[in-house]
Amino acid sequence: MKNALVVVVVVVVLAATRGTCAFNLPGITNIFKPPSPTAASRPTAKLASDESQLLQAIANTGNGKDADLETQSRVLSIVRRMEISAPPNPTLLTNPDEAKILDGDWFLQYTAPSEIDGEGEVSSDGKWVAVEASEGESNLNTRQFKGAGAVSGGGIKVDASSTPALQSFDVANSRVTNEVIAGIGTVTVGGTFRPSTTVPSRAIVAFDTGKIALALGLTLDISFLFDIRGAIKGTKEAGWVETTYISDDMRIGRGNKGSLFILTRDRDAV
């Protein structure tokens, strides 16, 4: 058993010094909070219809893992239409009133690359392109993450096809936390974020907390790995997630590694 734990720690150390994250894995259960009540952003009838169509399209896809090319194309087309029709308020991350719609817990229902087989996003409305994806001096990793139905945090790929991963925003304290239940146990990673100066709705994350609650009953605190990575890279900033659409019930995001994320307030929405 000791050997098994050593293997887990070594794998995590190696991964943390090499990669960053697309859907940035997160922190501790007791820092999660219920969704804040929002004063606005019920979608229009057309957007409500788009949300419904999107949920139908991603149903039974194992969080994107089992989505065929036709489904991926349909999802990308609906998503792009929604992003263009209702972009988020540019003060989403800085205005306390606007931030209420983002605050709290979200469940990841679908994740996949923003491009299909390297051919670009299929959409009659045009392709989504990240603006200054590397974030200048932060020099963030933008190498494409091709894992559908999976998330990657600190270079650690975790299958999220069977259970929705949890992402929680605490805008007032500038923190984001993710939790994924994996075969070895529950992996949580969290950190602080700052709004991008290039894209206001983009949160650039610097991880400082990491834990693996093993199914065996032990908990590994791997937070020190982010100090090591920060020393090697010269910064703890490891990735970003950009909100491209948001309502009271649904959030769509894009990551620094080109991933598309669809999240809902209701864990059982899909």
Side-chain angles (χ1 to χ4, degrees), residues 41-116:
S41 225
R42 297 305 305 177
T44 64
K46 179 63 174 68
L47 287 171
S49 175
D50 284 340
E51 286 191 5
S52 178
Q53 291 179 47
L54 189 55
L55 291 177
Q56 292 177 30
I58 66 177
N60 303 312
T61 64
N63 204 332
K65 184 177 182 178
D66 301 324
D68 56 25
L69 292 179
E70 181 179 354
T71 298
Q72 292 178 52
S73 178
R74 174 168 170 72
V75 168
L76 287 170
S77 181
I78 297 172
V79 162
R80 193 68 190 121
R81 186 167 69 232
M82 294 168 68
E83 291 174 330
I84 292 174
S85 299
N89 194 302
T91 59
L92 179 67
L93 296 174
T94 55
N95 184 312
D97 290 332
E98 295 291 341
K100 289 178 181 178
I101 197 170
L102 174 63
D103 239 349
D105 295 348
W106 295 89
F107 294 94
L108 181 66
Q109 305 290 359
Y110 181 93
T111 180
S114 290
E115 296 184 354
I116 298 176

Side-chain angles (χ1 to χ4, degrees), residues 121-134:
E121 180 176 295
V122 179
S123 170
S124 59
D125 295 320
K127 177 182 176 182
W128 178 86
V129 178
V131 177
E132 198 174 333
S134 63

Side-chain angles (χ1 to χ4, degrees), residues 26-34 105 107 166-168 177-181 186-190 209-211 213 219:
I28 311 169
T29 305
N30 63 8
I31 71 173
F32 294 150
K33 60 180 181 179
D105 295 348
F107 294 94
L166 172 66
Q167 183 174 80
S168 182
T177 303
N178 302 325
E179 178 180 277
V180 181
I181 298 176
T186 301
V187 181
T188 58
V189 178
T209 302
K211 292 182 182 291
T219 298

Side-chain angles (χ1 to χ4, degrees), residues 1-9 181-187 212-220:
M1 182 175 298
K2 289 183 178 179
N3 290 337
L5 293 180
V6 169
V7 169
V8 170
V9 173
I181 298 176
I184 60 173
T186 301
V187 181
I212 303 176
L214 299 172
L216 300 174
L218 301 176
T219 298
L220 300 178

